[in-house]
Amino acid sequence: MPLTPSATNSRTNKARWGIPVAAGASLALVGGVLLWSPAGEADASPTAAASAAGFTAVAAGDIAEQCTASSSSCKHPKTAALVKQINPSFVMTMGDNQYDDARLKDFQKYYAKSWGAFKSKTHPVAGNHETYDPDGALKGYKSYFGSVAYPDGKSYYSFDQDNWHFIALDSNSFDDDEQIDWLKDDLAANSKKCVAAYWHHPLYSSGEHGNDPVSRPVWKLLYDNKAELVLNGHDHHYERFAPQNADGKADSNGIVELLGGMGGANPYKIEEVQPNSQKRITNTFGVVKLNFTDTGFSWNLVATDGSTKDTSPSYTCR
């Protein structure tokens, strides 16, 4: 870890993060399932702050291939089973919810049979595959999710939970001034201490798609408004980054990026490791279990075999 427990946040004069310390292997209770975290794994033991989370959410992107549980190789029913076990307060999906063209009939035949069980508490965003619908870009996505995905007739929205403000964005239209103006207004109106945002295309990624600069202006807005966390999909692997700014410079007051594209789609290779990347895992399917408190957050990557593949540091809101 390039960060130390003595590092401080100049804006709060408090430690921004905590490094979990473990003398050996540990056990963690996740949604009623006892998970084993082996010694030597990066950040293997969750901190007290994580254990005392005010609420839990689950996140993943790149989910439903055109297959069902009748096929042993089909992964999205297995990641859905994890969501059921964890039983989070809500679910965030980071786009490409349904492959390949995200038509309504595909959502109904595949996604609905697995992750559809949590539709009532899912806050989705659209990926590029949702734009491929031959009936019209995002038509099947909008028809399936309804007003939860378009609460104000737009493909972006925000919501609050406890001391957190969550912003769901449509990275297919980051060149739309209307969405950027909406984001500025939303951030200005926010009264919550902690802010997280999520969309499909990551600004930084070590995977096959690589970095996508389309979201750099959004990152700058979020950074200037002291956001804590950004979640993305698109590349089909798991990756976490050290706090950084929109220009990719390590910054103790920066945003933590979490890439979680392992919800069920075919895994991608790691191509070019980015400077602030701290952990990369591919060829693993699972979900991210996010632990939120009124003052911070941490998370665990839980794989379909029930094991914890990664545990983040604990971060303090700015």
Side-chain angles (χ1 to χ4, degrees), residues 268-280:
Y268 288 172
K269 295 181 293 184
I270 301 301
E271 293 280 2
E272 182 178 351
V273 176
Q274 297 304 302
N276 296 305
S277 176
Q278 291 186 319
K279 184 79 171 185
R280 300 158 302 282

Side-chain angles (χ1 to χ4, degrees), residues 214-236:
V214 68
S215 62
R216 183 167 284 113
V218 171
W219 258 72
K220 288 181 178 178
L221 281 172
L222 292 167
Y223 177 88
D224 290 344
N225 285 272
K226 301 182 181 180
E228 274 54 63
L229 174 65
V230 161
L231 303 101
N232 303 121
H234 198 41
D235 264 330
H236 301 179

Side-chain angles (χ1 to χ4, degrees), residues 110 131 150 234 240 251 267:
Y110 305 110
T131 70
Y150 276 72
H234 198 41
R240 63 173 162 88
D251 183 342

